[in-house]
Amino acid sequence: MASSSSSLLLFLCGLSLAAAQLRVFNLRASGLPSDLLGTTDGYVTVFCASNSLGKTSVRNNNANPWWEEEFSYFKAQEGDVLRLEVHDRDVLFDDLIGVCQRQIKVGTNSHDCYLKKGGTLHYTYTLG
Ligand SMILES: [Ca+2]
């Protein structure tokens, strides 16, 4: 029993050196541009090191939306690229409003990111 729990501990220590938990939360945007129909129906897709972590719900007709969803990734490493894509849902094709990319660092970090087609995305992540 003692030897199996100590080898589990060794295994967990090795794992924590190689990978850490990434949590992405507090997503909100302001000043999103309106499309031809005059509404901005924003949602965000989240990636880490080319793995999809999921996407938020669509906030209909709101230029200043916020999203309550949180995203977790258990195999993140410092220096991995966190990528958030802000889209505007449309009937035929969703528009890509902008992309935020940065290499993640240990700790809790908040960023404002200026979107190519207008507006700002604010987000917070914790790595560790
Ligand atoms: Ca739209």
Side-chain angles (χ1 to χ4, degrees), residues 54-112:
K55 65 182 180 182
T56 67
S57 56
V58 177
R59 295 292 193 212
N60 288 314
N61 197 13
N62 188 347
N64 305 293
W66 64 274
W67 297 272
E68 60 200 357
E69 287 92 343
E70 293 191 4
F71 301 91
S72 292
Y73 182 52
F74 294 95
K75 291 186 282 184
Q77 289 180 292
E78 186 161 36
D80 280 353
V81 174
L82 173 65
R83 175 182 173 95
L84 298 97
E85 299 178 351
V86 182
H87 303 262
D88 175 16
R89 169 79 92 206
D90 279 314
V91 177
L92 293 178
F93 302 104
D94 294 359
D95 287 323
L96 181 61
I97 300 174
V99 175
C100 303
Q101 281 195 134
R102 74 169 46 238
Q103 287 187 300
I104 53 177
K105 294 187 293 189
V106 170
T108 297
N109 304 277
S110 290
H111 297 287
D112 289 314

Side-chain angles (χ1 to χ4, degrees), residues 5 8-10 13 23 25 35 42-43 45 50 62 66 76 89-90 92 99-100 103 106 109-110 119 123 126-127:
S5 64
L8 178 64
L9 197 64
L10 278 175
C13 288
R23 201 163 66 87
F25 56 102
D35 61 15
Y43 67 96
T45 51
S50 75
N62 188 347
W66 64 274
R89 169 79 92 206
D90 279 314
L92 293 178
V99 175
C100 303
Q103 287 187 300
V106 170
N109 304 277
S110 290
Y123 63 95
T126 297
L127 178 66

